[in-house]
Amino acid sequence: MTAVRLDLIIGPERARQFIRERVQQLVTGDCIPQARAADMVCTAVLAGDPWVLADPGQTWIPRDDGQDPNDLLAAELYVAQRHGATVLVEDEWAQRAWRPVSVLDGYVLDTWHWARQASPTEG
């Protein structure tokens, strides 16, 4: 797997916030102890695990691991929405479809379009 440097993609503050939210979900939703949940989330983020990382506003590109490009859904996938274990992805031809999160297994997180989301200071 390709290592993901979330802090380089969205910045250290947003990376910390995202990781804290994922940890809290495991603590409250699955009753996993805080330290174990933090370890699980950090390991998954560094491994590029889409089950932890996939979130609206992201663009995923094929992993550079020698896999056959014909095995992939598209050359690039944009995550428009996420609902549990499914994501609404848009390909490079603007075709959208709900797919299981596992469709991103052959991809790596490339960019996260935070600018598309309004900041708290905008009015």
Side-chain angles (χ1 to χ4, degrees), residues 4-63:
V4 171
R5 289 289 311 269
L6 196 57
D7 58 328
L8 297 179
I9 295 173
I10 60 175
E13 283 300 315
R14 287 192 171 127
R16 275 193 293 279
Q17 176 187 0
F18 178 79
I19 289 169
R20 272 191 226 127
E21 290 171 1
R22 291 298 195 253
V23 168
Q24 194 57 39
Q25 288 172 352
L26 288 177
V27 170
T28 59
D30 296 324
C31 298
I32 296 174
Q34 180 84 22
R36 178 68 182 129
D39 181 54
M40 291 170 63
V41 169
C42 289
T43 299
V45 166
L46 288 173
D49 186 343
W51 284 95
V52 172
L53 285 173
D55 214 40
Q58 299 171 337
T59 300
W60 292 66
I61 59 172
R63 291 186 183 278

Side-chain angles (χ1 to χ4, degrees), residues 77-97:
L77 291 175
Y78 173 75
V79 178
Q81 294 181 38
R82 179 168 182 177
H83 182 69
T86 60
V87 286
L88 178 62
V89 292
E90 181 177 307
D91 63 22
E92 62 267 28
W93 303 284
Q95 299 295 312
R96 286 185 168 198

Side-chain angles (χ1 to χ4, degrees), residues 47-123:
D49 186 343
W51 284 95
V52 172
L53 285 173
D55 214 40
Q58 299 171 337
T59 300
W60 292 66
I61 59 172
R63 291 186 183 278
D64 188 19
D65 61 3
Q67 71 181 4
D68 184 354
N70 294 321
D71 292 339
L72 298 175
L73 184 62
E76 178 179 290
L77 291 175
Y78 173 75
V79 178
Q81 294 181 38
R82 179 168 182 177
H83 182 69
T86 60
V87 286
L88 178 62
V89 292
E90 181 177 307
D91 63 22
E92 62 267 28
W93 303 284
Q95 299 295 312
R96 286 185 168 198
W98 283 99
R99 304 282 182 179
V101 171
S102 61
V103 76
L104 298 172
D105 285 343
Y107 295 83
V108 62
L109 177 60
D110 183 55
T111 56
W112 199 332
H113 306 280
W114 285 87
R116 292 187 183 182
Q117 299 173 6
S119 72
T121 58
E122 292 178 357

